[in-house]
């Protein structure tokens, strides 16, 4: 079963505006971590931000923030003041607990294009 | 600290051949994961190793195998290559298996099967 869902294959945003990339997840494990990665056209995967299931506050890292709504099982990435260099694929990922099947699973990704 | 390194960066093989890809994790990291990335299937989990033991395995045929050495370096092998194996193969390392640990990715090996 798909555990991470990113419903937006592509998004456009005007430079300097904010954009929200959606991510929903499915788990019955009370302990899990949620991650967002950026993949530019060069192919490298760059870690952006992390949210733990027990964290009370939404994570923030510079221009990136994570809108964590635990009851709705959503972990949307918000990028403020978009820059041209933000154009890339963005992946949401989740890692559950410590069990034998706690490999990190990725969503299908959202391609963000920032317009000048 | 040096990042995750993968060799080779590019590889061209023909159907039926086999290939071995190598990954050196960040120093001190004991967990290594492998992913296959294709335009159609996205990022697919292959397997994860921790302390030389395979902990998790994705839904791939037995032609895909891997191992981890005592220094945490990992190799993955694909035998009897098929055209559909053409992909970017990404390796990632993390200190351990904790759910709060981010994975650090290497630059990937781009495999083309002709």
């Amino acid at each position: 079963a798909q555990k991470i869902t990113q419903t937006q294959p592509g998004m456009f945003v005007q430079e300097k505006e904010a954009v929200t990339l959606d991510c929903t997840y499915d788990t019955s494990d009370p302990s899990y971590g949620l991650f967002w990665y950026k993949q530019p056209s060069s192919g490298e995967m760059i870690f952006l931000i992390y949210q733990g299931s027990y964290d009370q506050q939404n994570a923030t890292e510079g221009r990136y923030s994570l809108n964590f709504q635990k009851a709705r099982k959503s972990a949307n990435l918000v990028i403020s003041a978009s820059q041209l260099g933000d154009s890339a694929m963005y992946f949401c990922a989740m890692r559950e607990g410590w069990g034998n099947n706690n490999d990190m699973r990725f969503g299908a990704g959202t391609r963000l294009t920032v317009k000048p | 600290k040096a990042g995750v390194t993968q060799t080779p960066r590019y590889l061209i093989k023909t159907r039926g051949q086999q290939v071995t890809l190598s990954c050196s994790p960040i120093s001190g990291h004991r967990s290594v994961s492998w992913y296959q990335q294709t335009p159609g299937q996205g990022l697919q989990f292959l397997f994860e190793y921790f302390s030389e033991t395979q902990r998790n395995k994705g839904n791939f045929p037995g032609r895909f195998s891997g191992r981890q050495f005592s220094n945490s370096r990992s190799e993955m092998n694909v035998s009897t290559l098929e055209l559909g194996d053409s992909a970017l193969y990404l390796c990632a390392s993390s200190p351990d298996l904790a759910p709060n640990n981010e994975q650090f990715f290497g630059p990937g090996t781009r495999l083309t099967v002709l």
Side-chain angles (χ1 to χ4, degrees), chain A residues 4 6 21-23 34-40 43-49 75 77 88-94 104-111, chain B residues 37-38 41-44 90 105:
Chain A
I4 298 285
Q6 294 181 253
L21 306 184
D22 294 342
C23 172
L34 296 159
F35 305 81
W36 277 91
Y37 285 85
K38 171 185 177 181
Q39 188 179 41
E44 62 190 303
M45 292 283 281
I46 302 167
F47 166 73
L48 295 177
I49 196 167
L77 176 70
M89 281 291 288
Y90 288 81
F91 292 94
C92 178
M94 177 178 67
M104 187 174 284
R105 299 286 176 154
F106 288 79
T110 296
R111 181 171 297 281
Chain B
Q37 187 176 25
T38 58
Q41 297 295 319
L43 264 165
Q44 301 288 311
L90 292 164
F105 282 82

Side-chain angles (χ1 to χ4, degrees), chain B residues 18-103:
Chain B
Q18 75 161 17
V19 67
T20 298
L21 311 182
S22 181
C23 171
S24 292
I26 290 173
S27 177
H29 285 194
R30 296 162 64 194
S31 168
V32 173
S33 298
W34 288 91
Y35 298 87
Q36 181 197 65
Q37 187 176 25
T38 58
Q41 297 295 319
L43 264 165
Q44 301 288 311
F45 170 73
L46 279 158
F47 23 66
E48 178 173 35
Y49 288 88
F50 180 76
S51 293
E52 301 179 67
T53 301
Q54 187 180 88
R55 284 269 304 180
N56 300 301
K57 190 176 192 305
N59 189 24
F60 278 82
R63 301 185 297 107
F64 291 81
S65 62
R67 58 178 175 168
Q68 187 181 33
F69 302 94
S70 58
N71 61 358
S72 293
R73 190 178 69 85
S74 178
E75 288 181 347
M76 68 162 281
N77 184 276
V78 188
S79 62
T80 319
L81 284 166
E82 300 177 359
L83 295 178
D85 297 333
S86 294
L88 178 67
Y89 289 87
L90 292 164
C91 165
S93 77
S94 60
D96 54 41
L97 300 171
N100 63 329
N101 280 332
E102 73 201 68
Q103 290 191 331

Side-chain angles (χ1 to χ4, degrees), chain A residues 16-113:
Chain A
K16 299 180 185 176
E17 291 185 350
V19 63
T20 298
L21 306 184
D22 294 342
C23 172
T24 58
Y25 59 93
D26 182 31
T27 181
S28 57
D29 196 318
S31 177
Y32 53 90
L34 296 159
F35 305 81
W36 277 91
Y37 285 85
K38 171 185 177 181
Q39 188 179 41
S41 56
S42 58
E44 62 190 303
M45 292 283 281
I46 302 167
F47 166 73
L48 295 177
I49 196 167
Y50 160 81
Q51 179 85 45
S53 59
Y54 295 115
D55 292 344
Q56 295 296 313
Q57 294 192 329
N58 287 342
T60 60
E61 289 285 348
R63 294 186 299 112
Y64 305 107
S65 61
L66 202 152
N67 185 0
F68 181 45
Q69 298 186 44
K70 193 171 183 177
R72 296 181 58 191
K73 294 186 176 178
S74 80
N76 298 340
L77 176 70
V78 180
I79 305 175
S80 62
S82 297
Q83 302 172 356
L84 295 178
D86 293 336
S87 293
M89 281 291 288
Y90 288 81
F91 292 94
C92 178
M94 177 178 67
R95 190 172 183 120
E96 300 168 298
W98 287 82
N100 278 335
N101 292 315
N102 75 331
D103 50 282
M104 187 174 284
R105 299 286 176 154
F106 288 79
T110 296
R111 181 171 297 281
L112 177 66
T113 303

